[in-house]
Amino acid sequence: MTLRTRNLERLPHEEYDALIIGGGINGAAAAAALSGKGAKVALIDRGDFAGSTSMHSSNLVWGGIKYMESNDFALVRKLCKSRNHLIESYPSTVKEIRFLTTIAKGFRHSPWYLWAGTWLYWLMGNGFTKRPKLLSPKNIKHEEPIIRTDGAVGGFEYSDAYLYDNDARFVFNFVRQAMNFGAVAANYVESVGAERQGEHWVTRARNVMDGSTFEIRSKVLINAAGPWVDAHNTLTHQSTSHQHIYSKGIHLIVPQLTKEKRVLAFFADDGRLFFVIPMGNRTCIGTTDTHMEHPNAEVTQEDVQFVLENINKRLTLETPLTEDDIISTRCGVRPLAVKADKGEKRDFLQLSRKHVIDTHRETAHISIFGGKLTDCLNVGEEIADEIESLGVTLDASQTLWYGEPGAEVKTRFDEKAKAMGLDALTPATSTEALSSRLWRRYGNDAFALLDRIAEDATQAEVLIEGTEYLRCEIEYAREHEMITELEDFLRRRAKISMVVHRDELERSVGLKKACDVLFDDKAEERRAAYFAQNPDTTTPSPAPEQV
């Protein structure tokens, strides 16, 4: 019996302190916080965990330096502190990285003005990161030769942070942590509505995979459905003080443009921030910021041309990037929290990613609006405070619900890995030592992977050619990571489909073997469904985007 099946059997037969709808970063962090503090928690998502906004980020963990221009200093201060806390709590995953920003002639602010802003930003972050540095065009060219400087008046370098691995993986590890604390979580379980009956919420749930339905009882209902928060509130007849508007963002994944491990930041032709972000042996470029009337988004020809034109203007590549260079795309919407009754009078492009927790105390219903990866620990703590105010007793002695295992555990892992010569087995396709990657991705569970490799050397073989994922990792995913569809593994537990072109995956013999491991007798069915449902995203839709 799979982990998902076991959890599905439990959902209708137990009563929960809180049921969380939505397994993106807000829902996952809330589940980890509540269960870590002793609450009985259930978490469901109608798709896979982190299957929407949370898997389409820039992988940046930053204090929101751009919000300084709109004078949101309190938010910047809060986000900088959150960034610092994440770096300290997840040293293997959240890493400081330098941002090199180039300023073109005629830009609305001078490099000196912006450089002064980076010092204020650094101070607002308690001087936690490396200091900012002012750069002349000559300095910029020396630091990063691919940057075009003939139209630049200067620039600056400052620090923020990024996720070394994958945003969706980071989210799933909160779900994993919540389950370790006793939460019951299941993906591909849809809420089709809920109503308050006496002292409890009764949520009607549907197993998306087979259509079966059942009910889940909880004292509190938490709507963390991301872009679909408003839609679910309509189902449950909830009136809230906030609502969402939507901003579409896309990224293009291309071959590695530079081996320098820094983020290149520019201001695009329309004035928006624009990034070139390292992604192992690939590069991620973007993003767009397009106003949407709904949460369903796709990459258009206009989006792709915007990114390619802006990057080619700003880099001196031997050959300009074209659509043929695109390995994969990312496309999602940012749900932005605004007041429901007054609308939002500020410039759409100046709206922040702040989160808002909207509580209806009479019915014990909580909605989480907005939010971003950087602020996830604050969301978890605030939800814990809210649920206590609704009468759910938490265990004050259990407070550390996040973070990597301690230094002593890490030392034991390193010693064991060294004794068995693990790093000598590092695949040629890997961008880091095998011991570093296994620890970062699995933490305490990495010990079990070492045991598997020690018992059977074939467990250290790369199963899918051109990737860095070992046989033992795929077996672990089958048993512990609720892989229901092939995309869950290729895109969210791993990042294979982002860095390997779809055509290569379709031809991959190793992928067929991996499907056998993950799905047994349903292997070919799941594989065929993946390629049928996931067309080549490097070919954008010709339809014009609604703005």
Side-chain angles (χ1 to χ4, degrees), residues 321 382 387 404 410 413 445 463 498:
L321 288 174
E382 290 171 29
I387 202 171
E404 296 179 7
K410 175 68 161 57
F413 175 81
D445 288 353
L463 202 56
M498 279 191 291

Side-chain angles (χ1 to χ4, degrees), residues 18-22 26-28 30-31 34 41-45 220-224:
L19 169 63
I20 301 171
I21 310 293
N26 288 339
L34 294 178
V41 176
L43 170 67
I44 61 174
D45 194 294
V220 179
L221 186 63
I222 300 175
N223 180 359

Side-chain angles (χ1 to χ4, degrees), residues 464-482:
I464 305 173
E465 57 269 34
T467 73
E468 54 188 13
Y469 294 90
L470 311 183
R471 178 183 290 273
C472 63
E473 292 182 85
I474 295 171
E475 292 185 358
Y476 175 90
R478 176 192 63 198
E479 298 162 9
H480 301 284
E481 297 190 343
M482 234 175 289

Side-chain angles (χ1 to χ4, degrees), residues 203-272:
T203 300
R204 298 180 298 281
R206 183 178 73 92
N207 182 347
V208 174
M209 301 308 294
D210 64 13
S212 60
T213 59
F214 54 91
E215 294 182 341
I216 306 172
R217 298 178 64 83
S218 63
K219 295 176 184 176
V220 179
L221 186 63
I222 300 175
N223 180 359
W228 293 276
V229 163
D230 297 297
H232 195 272
N233 280 339
T234 298
L235 281 178
T236 54
H237 308 291
Q238 292 297 303
S239 176
T240 58
S241 61
H242 287 78
Q243 65 184 34
H244 278 144
I245 61 175
Y246 309 104
S247 167
K248 182 179 72 169
I250 76 136
H251 297 85
L252 308 182
I253 314 301
V254 299
Q256 190 175 49
L257 299 181
T258 174
K259 293 187 178 180
E260 299 295 332
K261 298 300 182 184
R262 59 163 63 93
V263 176
L264 307 183
F266 306 94
F267 289 93
D269 291 346
D270 59 5
R272 289 177 285 178

